Amino acid sequence: IETMETHSFDVLVLGSGGAGLRAAVEAASGGGLSVAVIGKSLLGKAHTVMAEGGAAASIGNVDSLDSWQTHFYDTMKSGHYINNFRTVEVFAKEAAARVLELEQWGAVFDRTPEGLIMQRAFGGHSFRRLAHIGDRTGMELLRTLQYKAISMDISIFQEVTITRLLMDKDRIAGAFGYYRADGHFVVFKAKAVVLATGGWGKVYKVTSNSWESTGDGAAMAYRIGAELQDMEMVQFHPTGMVWPPGVAGLLVTEGVRGEGGILYNSEKERFMLRYDPERQELSTRDVVARSIFKEVQAGRGTPHGGAWLDISHKGADFIKRKLPGMYEQLLTLGDVDITKSPFEVAPTCHYTMGGVKAHAETCATNIPGLFAAGEVACGLHGANRLGGNSLADILVFGRRAGIAARDFAGSRKGEVSIPESQIEEEVTRVLEPFNRPNGENPYTIHEELQAVMSTHAGIVRDQQTLEEGLEKVLKLQERAKNMGAQGGRAYNPGWHAVFDVENMLTLSELIIRGALERKESRGAHWRTDYPDELEEMGKWNFVHEYSPDGDRIKQVPVPTMPPALQEICARPVAPGREASDKPNQRKGASS
Ligand code: FAD
């Protein structure tokens, strides 16, 4: 038996993306508590780095009428009112301060001529609201947080995969994992844990998500009894590349439409004028994705089953300045020059709105000591996330989870104790695949799962397809029990894939079960057998609870908005606002 590497921290943050780093910075500030961050990739390379378009915050630099109230309304409306209103309220009120704080920490935003943070238009936002850095916003956000974190007393563990959350009776007590390089095991004891492990877009075949997005955190939390909510809500971003194959799934940022890009069908018709005459290309993602899908179904798709997106009319200088990453990526990886011609796009799985149910103010889950923030958490986005709201989400709720974890750890009495049996069980479990060198190949199971999910629980759904999909996922789960790994623990991605696939199978089942329960169409969830949004259904969130006998789904009432917030939704755009409503801001150097 190997000697187990063991560490003890007051606060353990799982995930080194934007939410995790923001939480760690907050947990460590004030001093006195030990804090660690764990990521399964290298620091600075988390999925957040891919974010392009910007972070939504009602700073009002470009459109001075913008306000937290309008941001609140836009987010509730886009979420089709199954969001937790209090989460949205906290978010809309704090997003601006978090973006301005990031600027103070060194983030180099694009600027207005006056030297303020520049803000761009995005689908579903009533005002130009997205603070951005060209189309590399996530990279700059993560760089800033990374520099901040490494200047503080925070322990950072890179390329460590956590496979299990550990418990001290009913309270969280830490996590078990392995180093990806050599496979040696590690135990982290902790008084409080922040879950910031991101989403699970890798469940689908065509996705904009990075390799890390396998939903480990949500699946692990579910297994220890955390409640998961709105799992049926998966966002398909309307504009993923479809051709050439080398760039299939790659995201074409909404910034392209925000900067004037236009969608056409094969008949050169600007079809969004028909589907949403008011907002056209800047309609919400669910509407644009469905519109492209309908055009293709009606035989007006592009040669490879998508729509044409064209921004070439804006001219090469403008495109290279406003969308440099997009221009370079598509030219280098796909030989597509967006300054010269239109290109083919179609919906790609982009974001998971569902996740671990988190308290609106503290991000607390129903497991004492476990907090959830960022894409792994649920409550903010409802049935459809607005572009730009995720980067703001990870800042607002990363910070809040950090504060709450710090407070919880600080007041937790006594030593954290983890029964040896939990660790022994997990060691046995993670070594088991080596007993089956000729077992099922995890990559094959993953590929089959992606095909099932894309066909049976993708952008269009109905009872029969979902039921068939569920049956297939359950069969894959059975086969997955026999997944094997060859070789040893060092540098063995095949072995790592076993755990990723187990997690994705768990969450896929919940996506389908949630989708079967929601007998209506709402936001990203489109059922052809229930094409309308139903008032009665809008009163409920579906919450999943683990039980050894299978998933239990509870129908939980959507919290009712107090009159003041209802009033905002009735009259969203205020005629003006007091100067004192405006967050403090300073002029920065232009970039
Ligand atoms: P992530 O950034 O996904 O970080 C998760 C972390 O958890 C990683 O460090 C990972 O290594 C770690 N982790 C996962 N599992 C384990 C495990 N088992 N053990 C240890 N560590 C683990 N949003 C916007 O608001 N605006 C945009 O313009 C925008 N553009 C986007 C463009 C693209 C191409 C994509 C894919 C997304 C975009 N998004 C955008 C969405 C946004 O980037 C993400 O939702 C957000 O960054 C998620 O941050 P996070 O911190 O919650 O998780």
Side-chain angles (χ1 to χ4, degrees):
I1 295 180
E2 69 188 57
T3 316
M4 192 71 65
E5 178 181 324
T6 304
H7 302 272
S8 283
F9 295 100
D10 292 308
V11 176
L12 181 67
V13 179
L14 302 182
S16 53
L21 288 178
R22 188 64 191 81
V25 163
E26 207 61 35
S29 67
L33 294 187
S34 57
V35 178
V37 182
I38 323 268
K40 72 177 183 179
S41 58
L42 290 167
L43 187 65
K45 292 204 81 179
H47 177 79
T48 296
V49 88
M50 298 171 79
E52 296 163 347
S58 59
I59 308 172
N61 285 350
V62 181
D63 290 321
S64 60
L65 278 185
D66 200 4
S67 62
W68 76 260
Q69 289 91 337
T70 318
H71 197 181
F72 172 85
Y73 164 73
D74 289 341
T75 305
M76 290 300 299
K77 182 172 180 232
S78 165
H80 293 249
Y81 298 97
I82 59 163
N83 339 39
N84 179 334
F85 74 82
R86 180 63 187 139
T87 309
V88 182
E89 183 186 7
V90 165
F91 166 78
K93 283 180 172 166
E94 288 181 14
R98 295 286 76 77
V99 169
L100 293 169
E101 174 182 72
L102 207 66
E103 182 192 34
Q104 281 162 15
W105 291 353
V108 185
F109 286 95
D110 285 2
R111 301 280 170 197
T112 65
E114 299 78 37
L116 300 174
I117 292 175
M118 177 61 115
Q119 300 188 269
R120 65 161 51 118
F122 240 54
H125 289 282
S126 299
F127 293 106
R128 285 171 287 180
R129 188 175 280 150
L130 266 72
H132 59 275
I133 297 107
D135 53 6
R136 297 185 177 116
T137 311
M139 189 187 285
E140 179 64 359
L141 186 152
L142 205 61
R143 184 199 65 76
T144 308
L145 290 174
Q146 182 185 337
Y147 275 79
K148 183 81 180 164
I150 57 178
S151 72
M152 299 175 79
D153 192 10
I154 295 173
S155 303
I156 292 168
F157 294 82
Q158 305 182 61
E159 298 196 298
V160 170
T161 296
I162 297 300
T163 61
R164 177 170 173 160
L165 298 173
L166 301 169
M167 300 291 282
D168 177 0
K169 301 192 188 70
D170 65 338
R171 288 192 299 185
I172 199 79
F176 174 96
Y178 61 83
Y179 285 85
R180 296 178 73 82
D182 62 10
H184 84 263
F185 298 136
V186 53
V187 169
F188 298 95
K189 290 184 173 179
K191 293 182 176 169
V193 173
V194 175
L195 202 61
T197 47
W200 39 97
K202 278 288 170 191
V203 154
Y204 291 88
K205 194 157 127 193
V206 179
T207 175
S208 62
N209 282 199
S210 78
W211 66 274
E212 291 155 279
S213 303
T214 52
D216 305 356
M220 289 188 289
Y222 177 68
R223 289 188 198 112
I224 59 161
E227 292 178 333
L228 268 53
Q229 182 177 300
D230 297 342
M231 291 299 287
E232 68 277 18
M233 296 303 178
V234 178
Q235 180 167 77
F236 293 85
H237 191 292
T239 56
M241 288 297 284
V242 265
W243 191 258
V247 288
L250 190 103
L251 191 83
V252 177
T253 172
E254 199 165 313
V256 173
R257 281 173 288 134
E259 299 294 354
I262 291 172
L263 285 163
Y264 296 105
N265 60 21
S266 60
E267 294 169 6
K268 298 252 162 63
E269 181 206 5
R270 191 176 170 186
F271 57 88
M272 283 312 298
L273 287 169
R274 246 189 299 121
Y275 292 103
D276 187 345
E278 202 181 312
R279 296 179 296 185
Q280 303 145 24
E281 277 79 6
L282 290 182
S283 184
T284 50
R285 289 179 175 174
D286 51 340
V287 174
V288 182
R290 269 203 292 277
S291 306
I292 294 176
F293 184 88
K294 284 177 182 167
E295 287 304 295
V296 176
Q297 256 193 338
R300 294 187 290 270
T302 56
H304 303 97
W308 294 110
L309 178 57
D310 192 6
I311 186 148
S312 59
H313 53 275
K314 296 295 259 186
D317 284 350
F318 176 88
I319 294 168
K320 287 180 193 171
R321 187 161 41 83
K322 286 288 186 181
L323 303 158
M326 212 66 264
Y327 166 72
E328 274 166 32
Q329 252 184 347
L330 293 179
L331 194 62
T332 318
L333 303 176
D335 204 18
V336 173
D337 186 346
I338 63 171
T339 65
K340 296 208 169 103
S341 54
F343 45 101
E344 286 179 71
V345 293
T348 179
C349 172
H350 187 54
Y351 189 88
T352 45
M353 271 82 68
V356 182
K357 192 173 174 188
H359 187 271
E361 284 156 38
T362 63
C363 303
T365 69
N366 60 316
I367 306 290
L370 181 67
F371 302 84
E375 192 167 343
V376 70
C378 175
L380 176 62
H381 308 292
N384 179 49
R385 174 180 73 92
L386 276 182
N389 270 4
S390 177
L391 288 186
D393 169 5
I394 61 186
L395 296 175
V396 170
F397 294 105
R399 172 177 167 274
R400 280 182 168 263
I403 294 172
R406 187 178 71 198
D407 292 348
F408 187 93
S411 62
R412 184 163 170 173
K413 304 266 183 305
E415 275 297 294
V416 169
S417 122
I418 301 169
E420 271 302 308
S421 59
Q422 264 184 56
I423 296 167
E424 282 161 14
E425 260 175 41
E426 188 58 4
V427 168
T428 309
R429 188 185 80 89
V430 295
L431 287 177
E432 251 178 36
F434 292 116
N435 300 335
R436 298 184 290 264
N438 298 316
E440 288 275 1
N441 180 336
Y443 295 111
T444 310
I445 303 262
H446 187 195
E447 227 175 274
E448 291 184 32
L449 175 68
Q450 289 182 320
V452 170
M453 291 304 286
S454 305
T455 310
H456 293 275
I459 188 167
V460 237
R461 303 159 174 189
D462 65 39
Q463 188 82 11
Q464 192 188 339
T465 337
L466 286 166
E467 279 170 358
E468 286 166 9
L470 181 59
E471 206 174 299
K472 288 181 185 174
V473 168
L474 296 179
K475 279 195 184 137
L476 283 173
Q477 286 180 352
E478 277 307 306
R479 273 175 55 197
K481 287 182 184 156
N482 196 31
M483 279 189 290
Q486 293 179 350
R489 280 150 66 186
Y491 300 103
N492 193 341
W495 177 50
H496 306 164
V498 169
F499 312 114
D500 293 346
V501 170
E502 278 173 359
N503 292 328
M504 287 187 281
L505 281 164
T506 300
L507 301 180
S508 298
E509 180 190 336
L510 304 191
I511 292 171
I512 300 187
R513 288 196 187 278
L516 279 163
E517 286 301 314
R518 191 166 283 288
K519 293 182 171 44
E520 65 163 346
S521 291
R522 181 176 295 270
H525 174 68
W526 178 26
R527 286 194 48 163
T528 46
D529 48 351
Y530 295 98
D532 299 323
E533 187 166 300
L534 304 177
E535 202 185 329
E536 175 54 30
M537 271 280 152
K539 295 178 183 156
W540 307 104
N541 294 113
F542 295 106
V543 173
H544 302 258
E545 239 179 21
Y546 173 82
S547 95
D549 309 324
D551 182 47
R552 280 200 209 119
I553 300 190
K554 288 188 293 191
Q555 204 168 311
V556 175
V558 173
T560 311
M561 268 193 268
L565 295 179
Q566 284 181 19
E567 173 71 9
I568 290 174
C569 292
R571 289 193 306 118
V573 183
R577 61 178 188 174
E578 300 298 315
S580 59
D581 282 354
K582 273 202 161 188
N584 289 329
Q585 52 184 289
R586 65 181 179 86
K587 289 191 179 190
S590 58
S591 70

